[in-house]
Amino acid sequence: MSHKLRVGELKALYLTEDEVWRIFTVVLTSKSKKSATYKFGLLKSMIENLYQVNDKAVVTYNQLAYSFTKIYWNLVIHHELEQGTRGSAAVNRLVEVQQEYHIPKEMTFDKLDSTIQLKAVNRIKAVMKTNVFGALYGDTQGTFYAFDHKSEQFQFNQAVLTFMRKYQRLLIDLVNYHMAKMIEQLNDIPNINYLLSKVESIAKRSSLKPFEEILVQYFEKKCFYCGKSLSKDSVHTHVDHFIPWSFVQSDQLWNLVLTCSTCNTSKRDKLPVPFYLDNVVDRNERLVIEPELVALERELATYKKDKIIHLYNYSIQNGYENIWVPG
Ligand SMILES: [Zn+2]
């Protein structure tokens, strides 16, 4: 378990921007496991300290813990927002400090007495040592930073530091968005609940039934992945986005296939193994030679097999690395 590590060395010194983007995408999206918002908290703390590093790109645990504590104090105590599955250690430590010193929730971190700030920072630093530094280190495969619990030093990979400075504004927005979305899911706030999820799925069609009807007309009614014949009763026939919807954000016939419910449910928003990319390319060759269909589905007129191949490769670049194989 990487979050138990006490020391982490840099695993890669030379990273291209493409590589840093890909790792960022994996960390920010649901592709990396998060039971609490800690990883976002650490990324925000890193961003706050991009210009506090020494000439070896080192920042102290105290500096990072100060930023992290401020962020969490304001979210947890001041705004009373949940930050993770029940019993989140960072939340508990802050609530303890609040109760010990009878601090009203109106007090933001900046207004706290400096001795109380220091107490909170030290407790949070301990939580970061057990739950935070190692976890994000593991998610980035040791490429973003090195850390050492004994000397309490955190060293940015120079390539990552340069990247984060260059794209700082964009990264702040990305981290804020994903952190807010997770906080939203953890908190029950009437009326504004799930605003971000709503915005995100606003373009989603409620039914792909018309596509199913078209595909059934031109192809045998069997699962694109496992080949199982799909019964007449269409309840068990699913329409799957070959390249996940969460990446393409649209519904084109050339990216839709008929599947059984088992395959569709297990695939979810993963990419299938490359074997099926060849199959979908072949399938689409058959679609585009149907004049009636091309007249009906205008996207088919501009379809080129390169499009779906590029999309497949860009999906991997965007963090869809978990390739699915039918069960
Ligand atoms: Zn199937």
Side-chain angles (χ1 to χ4, degrees):
M1 293 289 275
S2 57
H3 70 91
K4 300 287 183 208
L5 287 176
R6 301 178 56 83
V7 180
E9 285 170 9
L10 273 180
K11 297 276 169 60
L13 287 180
Y14 305 102
L15 292 174
T16 63
E17 278 198 357
D18 273 5
E19 286 166 330
V20 183
W21 272 124
R22 189 180 51 75
I23 299 165
F24 249 108
T25 312
V26 172
V27 170
L28 287 174
T29 57
S30 53
K31 307 284 176 269
S32 101
K33 190 171 149 281
K34 292 172 211 65
S35 54
T37 56
Y38 293 161
K39 287 170 193 172
F40 301 127
L42 179 54
L43 285 170
K44 282 174 81 70
S45 305
M46 286 163 68
I47 291 170
E48 267 199 35
N49 285 281
L50 289 176
Y51 292 90
Q52 318 299 325
V53 296
N54 68 15
D55 51 11
K56 296 207 166 67
V58 169
V59 62
T60 64
Y61 278 22
N62 283 339
Q63 287 171 283
L64 288 171
Y66 182 88
S67 303
F68 196 92
T69 308
K70 180 184 63 182
I71 293 163
Y72 276 85
W73 181 276
N74 292 339
L75 279 168
V76 173
I77 306 295
H78 185 59
H79 294 297
E80 300 181 292
L81 291 165
E82 281 288 341
Q83 297 303 317
T85 41
R86 213 164 285 275
S88 149
V91 173
N92 293 345
R93 294 299 89 77
L94 294 177
V95 171
E96 282 162 21
V97 172
Q98 184 199 13
Q99 289 173 348
E100 248 173 85
Y101 296 93
H102 309 285
I103 304 164
K105 76 176 186 69
E106 287 71 27
M107 291 276 262
T108 55
F109 187 74
D110 291 343
K111 301 228 173 74
L112 296 177
D113 185 90
S114 62
T115 55
I116 298 176
Q117 282 187 350
L118 191 63
K119 269 202 163 50
V121 169
N122 280 327
R123 291 186 198 181
I124 290 297
K125 189 169 72 181
V127 173
M128 292 175 81
K129 281 182 169 180
T130 40
N131 294 318
V132 186
F133 291 122
L136 185 62
Y137 176 85
D139 277 8
T140 59
Q141 293 126 33
T143 58
F144 274 25
Y145 58 82
F147 66 94
D148 185 343
H149 285 3
K150 201 163 169 225
S151 65
E152 300 200 334
Q153 293 202 328
F154 176 105
Q155 184 184 30
F156 282 90
N157 180 338
Q158 189 64 52
V160 173
L161 183 66
T162 306
F163 176 94
M164 289 181 78
R165 285 173 173 172
K166 185 172 172 188
Y167 297 109
Q168 182 172 344
R169 183 64 249 170
L170 197 55
L171 293 175
I172 291 169
D173 287 348
L174 282 171
V175 174
N176 284 349
Y177 174 82
H178 288 286
M179 187 175 190
K181 201 171 137 199
M182 183 163 184
I183 293 172
E184 195 179 65
Q185 282 158 3
L186 293 165
N187 290 272
D188 200 20
I189 309 156
N191 305 325
I192 66 154
N193 215 356
Y194 305 118
L195 178 59
L196 296 176
S197 307
K198 278 177 193 154
V199 170
E200 196 157 71
S201 58
I202 217 154
K204 214 166 189 167
R205 260 177 237 254
S206 53
S207 166
L208 295 170
K209 197 81 192 159
F211 294 104
E212 180 189 327
E213 284 162 6
I214 296 171
L215 289 171
V216 167
Q217 277 177 36
Y218 290 88
F219 298 98
E220 251 180 288
K221 207 177 173 192
K222 59 180 194 179
C223 175
F224 180 78
Y225 300 110
C226 71
K228 194 169 84 182
S229 156
L230 302 166
S231 63
K232 293 228 161 34
D233 143 37
S234 70
V235 181
H236 299 293
T237 305
H238 288 217
V239 177
D240 173 61
H241 291 87
F242 180 83
I243 308 286
W245 185 89
S246 58
F247 182 61
V248 291
Q249 301 272 314
S250 61
D251 315 292
Q252 288 101 353
L253 191 61
W254 50 262
N255 188 42
L256 297 172
V257 294
L258 295 179
T259 73
C260 67
S261 57
T262 314
C263 285
N264 191 235
T265 314
S266 103
K267 179 174 175 279
R268 303 182 70 181
D269 75 339
K270 296 194 187 92
L271 282 177
V273 284
F275 169 77
Y276 293 103
L277 177 61
D278 297 337
N279 285 0
V280 83
V281 165
D282 291 346
R283 194 283 311 257
N284 287 342
E285 294 305 311
R286 289 176 57 196
L287 281 182
V288 294
I289 55 170
E290 300 285 348
E292 264 176 62
L293 198 50
V294 176
L296 188 70
E297 289 296 321
R298 279 182 302 156
E299 299 97 345
L300 282 178
T302 54
Y303 170 82
K304 295 267 180 330
K305 79 173 186 187
D306 287 356
K307 268 195 192 180
I308 198 159
I309 295 169
H310 282 152
L311 258 178
Y312 189 89
N313 294 328
Y314 286 141
S315 307
I316 296 172
Q317 169 69 18
N318 277 271
Y320 291 79
E321 292 172 317
N322 249 331
I323 306 292
W324 176 79
V325 187

